[in-house]
Amino acid sequence: MPKAKPTHVIVHRIELQESTKEMIEPFVQAKQVEQYGKTAASVAAATALGVGVYVAWWTTDAMFGWMSKAGDKLEEIRGRIDAADEETGGRASELIKSTSPAARIFMALNGYGF
């Protein structure tokens, strides 16, 4: 059987006395300090992760020269795109941009416009 719709609303209100508010205040401050601590820990963890990634990148680049190889590959790709643009009058870069969002981002980062 369906319930009848309410005909009125009753509001209950709880008020604390001054003495109770004074007793609760240290707990509220402790909770605020806890939240600040959690935020600081999150920022420190993100910073540590960023530093760790940079150190790993720098170490592998120094040991194996990986980034210079990747840079050479990017220059080769840019050269191919420029050559294709010269042959097609700029249509090649537009075609590449239309293939995928990743290609648009790559082209924009490499100076071919958005």
Side-chain angles (χ1 to χ4, degrees):
M1 191 190 255
K3 286 186 172 184
K5 292 185 178 181
T7 58
H8 60 280
V9 177
I10 300 173
V11 176
H12 295 279
R13 184 172 155 179
I14 299 173
E15 292 186 9
L16 301 176
Q17 295 178 350
E18 258 327 292
S19 61
T20 310
K21 290 179 184 179
E22 290 173 4
M23 290 171 51
I24 292 176
E25 186 65 30
F27 294 106
V28 171
Q29 289 177 347
K31 189 66 173 174
Q32 287 175 340
V33 169
E34 177 187 356
Q35 291 301 320
Y36 290 140
K38 285 181 180 179
T39 301
S42 297
V43 169
T47 303
L49 178 63
V51 168
V53 168
Y54 176 74
V55 167
W57 169 79
W58 184 82
T59 303
T60 55
D61 186 37
M63 290 173 57
F64 306 111
W66 289 352
M67 294 311 291
S68 61
K69 291 177 185 175
D72 294 342
K73 291 289 185 187
L74 285 174
E75 287 300 321
E76 181 183 336
I77 292 170
R78 286 184 196 126
R80 287 182 182 178
I81 293 171
D82 290 339
D85 271 347
E86 287 178 14
E87 291 176 12
T88 62
R91 289 183 308 208
S93 60
E94 293 302 319
L95 179 65
I96 293 170
K97 285 187 228 176
S98 68
T99 58
S100 72
R104 273 194 300 278
I105 292 169
F106 174 80
M107 297 293 281
L109 291 175
N110 286 293
Y112 291 97
F114 223 112

